[in-house]
Amino acid sequence: MDLPRLPPDHVPRGRLLARLDRLAALTVVAALPGSGKTALVADWARRRREDGDVVAWIDASGPDGTGDELRARVDAAVEAGAGRTTIVVVDNADAADDALCSVVSASPWLHVVVCSRGWHPLVASAWRRGISVDTLTGPDLMMTADELDVIAAGWGHGGRDRLAGVHALTAGWMLPTRMVLDAASVAAGQETASSYLRTSVLAAVSDAVTRTAAMRLALAPSVTPVHLAAVTAAITNDHDDRPPTVDDTLGRLLRAGLLMPGRGRETWEIVPVLRSALAAGYASEAAAEAAEWHRRFAHALWDAGTDLGTAARHARAAEDWVSLVRLWDAAGLGLTVEHADDVVAAYGRLHARVLAEHPALRVPAEVARALLEQPRGVRTPDVIARAVLRAGEPVLRAEGVGRPSHLRVLVRSAGVVADRLDGRYERAIAGAASLDRELTERDRELAPGPWTIDRAWVSHQRARSLLLAGDIAAALDVATSAFATGRDGDRPALTAGIAADIALMHAVGGDTADAAHWLEVHAGYDESGRWASDVARHSIHIAGALLALDRLDRETAELHLAGADEEPEPAELWPFLVLAITQHALLFGDPAAALAVIERHERLDARAAAAGGAATQVLHRCRADAYLALGEVNPAGRVLQDAGRDVPWLRAARARFHLISGDDARAVRVAAAGVRQTTTTTRDRIDLLAVEAAAHEALGDTAAADRAFARVSVLATRLGAVRPYTLIDTDTRELLLKRSGLTLSPNALARVDRARRVFPARADLVLLTDRELAVLYELTRHRSWSGIAAALVVAPSTVKKQILAIYTKLGVHDREAALLRATALGFLPEPEAEPEPPPRGLVT
């Protein structure tokens, strides 16, 4: 038989042609109908014939396709080859017997390619004989998304979004894909493809046991060993006395081509369009059977303690409300954090009748409603916490006091989140610590189970509360413990989120190497489908930006800042984003622009900005640093004065204020005292040492300057940071480098040179006496000197002398300029905005 004709719109599939070109002695292409195997092999065979190989094509469904006739045809092809590479393709070879193997083993030039609908027994026979075998199965023949783009264009179809949706439905199964694309709509195409699969594909699966198993497994979104075990337990084996095993069932389904390897470990998939064809077997009269199998799957997954999100979906499909209550009572927090989409599918849009009969479902129903209202990428802990509190507090009051139930843990931890969002940090920390102690006591009495997430979650909320209260060291200790608990409990989404927060904490504290390590830890988790990963991304972007700025990697820092800006604004972490933006402005941008960013965020969340936690401290620090970078020491001094003395976050800014304003001795004292404090972060310790080195140099104490600079260099080298060298003015840095004998690498030196001069060496501090301040204030109320003199009950000549002294100190020559300059320096309050005039035509 000659080679089959190729359709005019056939597109070569290079990766599969290359697989066939390996030329094993026996190649088996086993896939269900509609996979394009015949066209693929025919295209390949034509190419091999054009390259000079002997190629024979045998249709095993015809009279020459079995027994002695098939062997005779193969022998004839070998004889015609006369020592050349000979390829024999046996199409429709489902019934081909073991005789082929003896022919293949007898000729070194013969290569047989067998095309069949299912896994062919020739493969096992060839393995036993030591014949080289290559197999292409259904998953191999599925079109990739990129291949579909090319092939669909040949079919006259385009539109990347539509093609992506079709590929998700058919997984690249060629003929069903073509049917869906050719239809007027995807829904109509799906029905056509499902009908074809029922009548032409499933009907060809002769093993009724395999078909029945596939139909039951089609109820599962993803097939796991638990599903396979449940189905296997219901199979009666008519062929021998040995009951089938899970591996037997799996083998049958794989050989029939009805299952594909899944994306997870030990999971398998049924192509969605095939799953719909199988599920169509449950007609209306068989709906009770489908519900029963959903119930069985839910119970089996619960008993196995795995994939409780899928268990909840099965329970909902079975309308097994008791199982849904049991699942939520035991693992509601884990489901919400790890499997939010399953919570929406299982508990969303429950009928009022169901909620009335099962009040315990009101909390998960409210959580599901909150998740439904928040699109993916916008879900944040505060949304979940508010939902839990709304529905859970009345239930908790009715439940009374007792050992921490899962609902009690959920509601109280939601209260911790709510307290933190409201700026009640101490209350949030105390509440989380108390709950953590109760859970530790409870867990001593319980075996490990789905509730192991409780402690990790509560510890995570306690760590976040400590972070936002401004205590980074304590937050790190608690977060590290939470990470270990979450990891031991196999909670990847929560653990990935904790790792992201730990990376952020290290980055804020200036521990660059540790931040990089935890960024790598987070990257090891694939949590792209969970809402917790959306929250973690903001931590990752801020940590990545700070780490890049410490290395003076401007491009990477700006990519992270842009990524953080694209994320929905999480109310909690914005202070650290402001810190990163300010650091970028100090190193590469405009500190005045950073001041505008600070003001905007302070207005957006005035409650957090005034709560006295990290937001308050970060805003003071960023504002002080930006003013100092601009040489505006008076406003910087006002910020430091308003913040109060001995605030850990402001030690470096206070020391630098004294250095820039010319009080070198005081700068040394403040910097040295700050370096010794255990609460000083690595970032601030480097800043303080840089101030100490520059101040000692200004005082002429070169030995002390060299010692401080050596410590800066040691820390910078250990952390892999370059930013510390920008903290000392250029002339002083060059002197210190020269005396120390240290040299920066060309790359590091280039990065330092590209950064802006972060802080000026000196700037004038304007000091006004109390009398001058009084005169300045009166300048805002009176335009004449005589009016000021009358108000202060002094001679006009005295007022004139004091005003001229004020002008000199402010560096101005007239009243308007003096008032503007005094306002900018913080001596006068900002003028209030003029009220907008009422609209015309209204009587006010």
Side-chain angles (χ1 to χ4, degrees):
M1 176 181 176
D2 201 2
L3 301 180
R5 291 176 178 269
L6 293 176
D9 52 8
H10 174 75
V11 178
R13 304 178 67 186
R15 65 179 176 88
L16 296 177
L17 295 173
R19 279 283 302 273
L20 292 169
D21 276 336
R22 295 177 183 176
L23 284 181
L26 175 66
T27 300
V28 175
V29 184
L32 291 172
S35 301
K37 57 183 178 295
T38 298
L40 167 73
V41 176
D43 184 14
W44 173 77
R46 184 172 284 103
R47 292 166 185 266
R48 298 297 304 199
R49 179 179 287 175
E50 291 170 354
D51 289 341
D53 296 334
V54 175
V55 177
W57 187 282
I58 302 171
D59 186 350
S61 62
D64 298 332
T66 59
D68 293 338
E69 291 82 3
L70 176 60
R71 179 165 183 167
R73 289 288 305 275
V74 176
D75 286 337
V78 173
E79 185 176 350
R84 289 183 295 158
T85 298
T86 302
I87 295 170
V88 176
V89 178
V90 185
D91 196 15
N92 298 314
D94 299 273
D97 57 26
D98 192 48
L100 271 178
C101 283
S102 60
V103 180
V104 171
S105 61
S107 174
W109 301 285
L110 177 62
H111 303 276
V112 174
V113 179
V114 171
C115 299
S116 64
R117 294 187 173 197
W119 186 259
H120 207 285
L122 283 174
V123 174
S125 179
W127 282 341
R128 287 194 300 271
R129 293 170 179 260
I131 298 172
S132 63
V133 183
D134 192 12
T135 58
L136 276 76
T137 61
D140 297 315
L141 269 63
M142 297 292 190
M143 294 178 287
T144 65
D146 291 338
E147 285 176 335
L148 178 57
D149 285 345
V150 176
I151 293 173
W155 293 342
H157 296 282
R160 198 169 186 84
D161 290 342
R162 182 170 185 246
L163 290 177
V166 172
H167 191 272
L169 176 66
T170 66
W173 194 342
M174 187 164 288
L175 186 54
T177 300
R178 180 68 184 266
M179 290 176 170
V180 174
L181 288 173
D182 285 345
S185 67
V186 172
Q190 181 175 357
E191 180 55 39
T192 301
S194 294
S195 177
Y196 160 74
L197 293 173
R198 284 195 301 272
T199 57
S200 299
V201 176
L202 295 175
V205 178
S206 58
D207 183 359
V209 171
T210 302
R211 283 201 311 273
T212 302
M215 193 168 79
R216 290 166 177 170
L217 292 171
L219 298 172
S222 182
V223 177
T224 68
V226 176
H227 291 98
L228 288 167
V231 167
T232 301
I235 293 176
T236 56
N237 194 327
D238 299 328
H239 303 289
D240 52 52
D241 296 331
R242 182 178 64 85
T245 66
V246 171
D247 286 341
D248 293 334
T249 305
L250 177 61
R252 287 185 181 194
L253 292 162
L254 289 173
R255 285 192 295 272
L258 299 176
L259 278 188
M260 296 173 56
R263 281 171 283 188
R265 181 169 54 90
E266 286 196 332
T267 62
W268 298 268
E269 306 287 343
I270 298 176
V271 176
V273 68
L274 177 60
R275 194 166 67 230
S276 67
L278 286 162
Y282 292 107
S284 57
E285 62 272 14
E289 182 185 351
E292 170 60 19
W293 272 100
H294 277 299
R295 189 188 66 80
R296 287 195 194 188
F297 287 144
H299 288 203
L301 288 165
W302 166 263
D303 291 340
T306 61
D307 206 356
L308 298 186
T310 303
R313 285 178 182 262
H314 283 304
R316 174 64 181 268
E319 297 187 356
D320 185 350
W321 312 123
V322 173
S323 290
L324 278 177
V325 170
R326 182 174 66 163
L327 281 162
W328 183 261
D329 284 345
L333 181 57
L335 289 173
T336 304
V337 175
E338 303 279 337
H339 307 287
D341 290 343
D342 294 327
V343 171
V344 170
Y347 297 96
R349 300 188 176 94
L350 288 171
H351 195 277
R353 172 185 55 81
V354 174
L355 294 176
E357 293 175 0
H358 302 275
L361 291 175
R362 290 174 183 169
V363 174
E366 185 65 20
V367 171
R369 186 180 70 81
L371 290 168
L372 273 168
E373 291 175 354
Q374 300 293 320
R376 188 184 296 278
V378 183
R379 297 169 178 173
T380 51
D382 58 306
V383 174
I384 313 301
R386 304 295 189 194
V388 169
L389 287 173
R390 275 196 304 272
E393 284 186 327
V395 179
L396 200 61
R397 283 195 296 270
E399 184 183 87
V401 179
R403 192 176 71 177
S405 65
H406 187 79
L407 176 63
R408 186 173 298 276
V409 172
L410 200 61
V411 174
R412 287 181 59 187
S413 65
V416 170
V417 176
D419 284 338
R420 193 174 67 232
L421 291 167
D422 292 336
R424 297 192 293 266
Y425 302 119
E426 295 304 321
R427 178 171 161 174
I429 294 166
S434 172
L435 186 53
D436 198 10
R437 287 191 296 271
E438 292 179 26
L439 289 174
T440 301
E441 187 65 30
R442 183 198 71 176
D443 289 353
R444 290 197 184 105
E445 306 172 17
L446 299 176
W451 44 82
T452 54
I453 193 174
D454 291 354
R455 283 186 61 202
W457 171 260
V458 170
S459 295
H460 185 208
Q461 300 316 310
R462 183 182 171 197
R464 272 226 166 175
S465 302
L466 287 162
L467 171 64
L468 290 160
D471 192 343
I472 295 180
L476 264 173
D477 287 342
V478 176
T480 305
S481 173
F483 177 84
T485 304
R487 181 188 57 196
D488 293 343
D490 192 22
R491 301 298 177 184
L494 177 59
T495 309
I498 297 171
D501 274 7
I502 294 175
L504 173 62
M505 294 173 197
H506 279 299
V508 170
D511 296 310
T512 305
D514 289 331
H517 165 74
W518 284 99
L519 288 175
E520 290 179 2
V521 171
H522 176 269
Y525 291 91
D526 180 14
E527 299 307 309
S528 54
R530 294 181 169 99
W531 68 267
S533 67
D534 301 328
V535 180
R537 268 202 310 271
H538 214 270
S539 295
I540 293 301
H541 280 311
I542 298 172
L546 288 170
L547 190 151
L549 290 169
D550 284 343
R551 294 172 175 168
L552 298 185
D553 182 352
R554 180 175 184 173
E555 292 76 14
T556 301
E558 289 174 352
L559 284 173
H560 278 297
L561 290 175
D565 194 48
E566 289 172 2
E567 297 293 331
E569 288 228 17
E572 295 194 290
L573 296 179
W574 66 263
F576 306 108
L577 176 58
V578 170
L579 177 65
I581 291 171
T582 302
Q583 287 292 312
H584 176 269
L586 297 182
L587 292 165
F588 302 111
D590 179 7
L595 286 169
V597 171
I598 294 166
E599 298 296 335
R600 179 170 66 85
H601 280 277
E602 190 172 34
R603 288 195 303 272
L604 285 173
D605 196 353
R607 181 177 55 189
T616 306
Q617 298 171 30
V618 168
L619 290 178
H620 283 321
R621 173 62 182 274
C622 290
R623 190 175 278 118
D625 280 347
Y627 279 131
L628 290 172
L630 292 168
E632 299 284 356
V633 287
N634 272 80
R638 182 72 63 183
V639 170
L640 296 171
Q641 180 179 339
D642 292 344
R645 300 188 62 81
D646 199 28
V647 178
W649 282 67
L650 292 176
R651 287 170 185 153
R654 195 177 300 279
R656 189 168 298 282
F657 165 80
H658 294 306
L659 174 68
I660 293 176
S661 60
D663 192 346
D664 299 317
R666 195 170 182 184
V668 167
R669 291 197 301 274
V670 173
V675 167
R676 290 193 296 270
Q677 296 293 326
T678 57
T679 53
T680 299
T681 64
T682 303
R683 180 179 301 282
D684 284 349
R685 183 164 283 107
I686 291 174
D687 283 32
L688 289 164
L689 287 168
V691 169
E692 191 177 349
H696 276 304
E697 186 69 23
L699 291 169
D701 190 347
T702 56
D706 291 344
R707 285 195 299 272
F709 183 70
R711 295 179 68 185
V712 171
S713 298
V714 168
L715 281 172
T717 301
R718 178 166 64 83
L719 298 172
V722 188
R723 184 188 70 92
Y725 297 104
T726 67
L727 301 174
I728 302 172
D729 68 275
T730 306
D731 294 339
T732 304
R733 182 180 68 238
E734 289 180 355
L735 284 172
L736 292 168
L737 281 170
K738 184 177 180 180
R739 283 205 307 269
S740 68
L742 296 171
T743 56
L744 297 179
S745 69
N747 181 44
L749 191 58
R751 290 188 176 192
V752 171
D753 290 340
R754 281 199 299 270
R756 69 182 292 279
R757 183 186 180 191
V758 179
F759 296 108
R762 296 290 191 212
D764 291 332
L765 176 64
V766 178
L767 298 174
L768 299 180
T769 65
D770 290 343
R771 174 57 67 178
E772 288 168 345
L773 286 171
V775 171
L776 180 63
Y777 174 70
E778 292 300 330
L779 270 175
T780 66
R781 305 175 62 195
H782 304 282
R783 298 195 64 85
S784 67
W785 294 356
S786 57
I788 296 173
L792 296 176
V793 195
V794 295
S797 59
T798 303
V799 170
K800 177 180 178 181
K801 185 186 303 181
Q802 291 168 340
I803 288 178
L804 291 175
I806 291 171
Y807 287 176
T808 300
K809 289 182 178 181
L810 296 178
V812 299
H813 303 286
D814 56 50
R815 176 181 179 276
E816 285 71 21
L819 293 178
L820 286 173
R821 180 65 174 150
T823 301
L825 293 175
F827 290 120
L828 295 174
E830 294 281 351
E832 294 184 6
E834 292 288 335
E836 293 186 5
R840 291 184 180 181
L842 296 179
V843 177
T844 60

